[in-house]
Amino acid sequence: MGFLKTCVLRRNACTAVCFWRRQVVQKPSVRKISTTSPRSTVMPAWVIDKYGSNEVLRFTQNMMIPMIHYPNEVIIKVHAASINPIDVNMRSGYGATALNMKRDPLHIKIKGEEFPLTLGRDVSGVVMECGLDVRYFKPGDEVWAAVPPWKQGTLSEFVVVSGNEVSHKPKSLTHTQAASLPYVALTAWSAINKIGGLNDKNCTGKRVLILGASGGVGTFAIQVMKAWDAHVTAVCSQDASELVRKLGADDVIDYKSGNMEEQLKYLKPFDFILDSVGGSTETWALKFLKKWSGATYVTLVTPFLLNMDRLGIADGMLQTGVTVGSKTLKIQPVIEKTFPFSKVPEAFLKVERGHARGKTVVSVV
């Protein structure tokens, strides 16, 4: 003869109450997570409730702690995050339609249900909880990740990511240093390696032009190209020239000192051009490529969302084989300024003004 057993897991309590033959048995909750309050279900975060200028950023202590919904997910306690130009663009509503299609491909939700939306794509932190299918991580592991733009971001106490979007943090990097790298590094890596076809075996002597060389993508790209023995010409403003030279740039062009096309036409043509500036550069950059040689021009600016998928900056971001901070490929994190968590709006304004000299990082812990 069968019997009925029902278990109820209460999120706000630390016990699972089981009803069986009118008996109540106290058991430890399966869900264990360390938060600022042992019984808390909410966390601090920076969110937006609508798209707009910097005034839409709102700090809240009542954002729901993310939960694991799929067996391949992990929850990370955020130690540091960083601000990328895509965060500024997303705050203003850029790509909202396309990203909402990714979040809700069946169009079940109504317009505006993505709010409150947490921004931030980079994270370095500690694993707090793992789904049942996660094999390579365990609670307590120090990790870093680049979160796709259609998911809730990293400017919060906790973030949930898929296991294939996260990797173990290099021990040689602090959380602040690690948070400065994932998104821009993998953007540059995808452009250089996946689209440009360049690697450590075929790059020696190749001529590379990097437009916007002093930003997050540019500073990473310079170091990769020089590690592979390419000849790098960096375009930036004069006050950033010392920085890019220290990173290894062979030639530096100050875009403020005169017409950039006129300056470039006196140089030999290039095998690869990486453009993180966009705008007018797209109309003339192609003529500086080597003719009939398979030379490649990659823009990371327009149309951004199309290039994002095309360059592979999506699921599996950190499974690219880049070993940062190791003997394989040593990369120096370039951080212009670190802001405390309370100053996130100021960090957004700094990125929005442009003229970056590396990355803008936010210390969450």
Side-chain angles (χ1 to χ4, degrees):
M1 180 176 178
F3 56 86
L4 177 64
K5 179 178 179 181
T6 305
C7 290
V8 180
L9 177 62
R10 302 183 186 278
R11 188 176 182 189
N12 290 329
C14 294
T15 60
V17 182
C18 297
F19 302 97
W20 177 38
R21 294 182 179 178
R22 297 183 181 178
Q23 292 181 356
V24 178
V25 181
Q26 299 291 325
K27 293 183 178 181
S29 172
V30 174
R31 181 176 172 82
K32 296 180 180 179
I33 186 167
S34 174
T35 67
T36 51
S37 171
R39 296 177 180 271
S40 178
T41 59
V42 296
M43 64 178 180
W46 283 93
V47 301
I48 60 173
D49 302 302
K50 61 181 180 179
Y51 298 115
S53 60
N54 217 46
E55 289 70 27
V56 300
L57 287 167
R58 174 175 66 88
F59 178 74
T60 177
Q61 293 277 7
N62 298 311
M63 190 69 172
M64 293 296 296
I65 291 177
M67 298 183 68
I68 289 176
H69 293 286
Y70 299 97
N72 68 330
E73 291 181 333
V74 300
I75 293 177
I76 301 173
K77 182 175 178 61
V78 181
H79 283 234
S82 67
I83 311 296
N84 294 287
I86 186 177
D87 297 305
V88 176
N89 292 335
M90 287 178 63
R91 183 208 66 196
S92 302
Y94 179 69
T97 301
L99 294 175
N100 282 335
M101 288 179 63
K102 180 69 176 180
R103 297 179 185 118
D104 181 29
L106 298 179
H107 305 288
I108 296 173
K109 299 179 180 179
I110 63 174
K111 184 177 180 181
E113 284 200 10
E114 70 269 29
F115 302 118
L117 181 64
T118 305
L119 301 174
R121 309 270 58 89
D122 297 300
V123 59
S124 181
V126 176
V127 173
M128 301 303 296
E129 188 174 355
C130 298
L132 294 176
D133 287 351
V134 176
R135 297 288 180 265
Y136 300 105
F137 307 100
K138 64 183 183 303
D141 285 351
E142 292 191 337
V143 296
W144 59 349
V147 182
W150 51 86
K151 294 187 176 183
Q152 288 285 24
T154 61
L155 293 173
S156 57
E157 186 180 15
F158 298 98
V159 65
V160 62
V161 298
S162 298
N164 63 337
E165 295 164 355
V166 65
S167 183
H168 288 98
K169 179 182 74 67
K171 294 181 180 179
S172 60
L173 300 180
T174 66
H175 283 297
T176 299
Q177 291 173 324
S180 72
L181 286 172
Y183 202 81
V184 295
L186 292 162
T187 302
W189 176 266
S190 297
I192 293 167
N193 182 260
K194 302 301 181 184
I195 302 301
L198 301 178
N199 55 55
D200 59 340
K201 296 179 176 60
N202 66 8
C203 210
T204 301
K206 291 287 180 67
R207 290 183 54 78
V208 175
L209 174 65
I210 300 176
L211 305 172
S214 64
V217 173
T219 53
F220 184 89
I222 291 171
Q223 295 179 77
V224 173
M225 292 288 88
K226 291 309 300 178
W228 292 348
D229 296 322
H231 182 283
V232 175
T233 299
V235 176
C236 60
S237 62
Q238 193 277 331
D239 60 347
S241 61
E242 183 179 356
L243 168 64
V244 298
R245 287 191 186 279
K246 284 183 178 179
L247 295 176
D250 299 285
D251 298 320
V252 179
I253 294 177
D254 176 11
Y255 69 88
K256 293 182 178 180
S257 66
N259 186 289
M260 195 156 38
E261 293 182 66
E262 287 296 316
Q263 297 181 72
L264 286 171
K265 75 178 185 180
Y266 295 106
L267 302 179
K268 294 180 180 179
F270 298 94
D271 299 283
F272 179 76
I273 298 176
L274 178 60
D275 182 3
S276 60
V277 177
S280 63
T281 59
E282 297 175 5
T283 63
W284 52 257
L286 291 173
K287 66 184 179 183
F288 295 106
L289 291 171
K290 286 184 179 178
K291 308 296 183 185
W292 315 109
S293 65
T296 307
Y297 166 81
V298 178
T299 176
L300 301 175
V301 180
T302 56
F304 180 81
L305 292 175
L306 294 178
N307 278 341
M308 181 184 64
D309 287 334
R310 179 168 151 269
L311 296 177
I313 311 169
D315 296 333
M317 290 180 181
L318 287 173
Q319 310 304 319
T320 61
V322 182
T323 305
V324 179
S326 74
K327 293 182 179 179
T328 305
L329 182 60
K330 289 189 177 181
I331 298 295
Q332 173 189 341
V334 181
I335 300 173
E336 185 173 7
K337 189 170 183 178
T338 300
F339 288 84
F341 195 48
S342 60
K343 303 293 185 182
V344 163
E346 294 181 21
F348 267 80
L349 286 176
K350 186 181 185 314
V351 174
E352 190 170 15
R353 285 192 292 265
H355 307 292
R357 304 293 179 266
K359 284 300 293 292
T360 297
V361 177
V362 174
S363 177
V364 179
V365 174

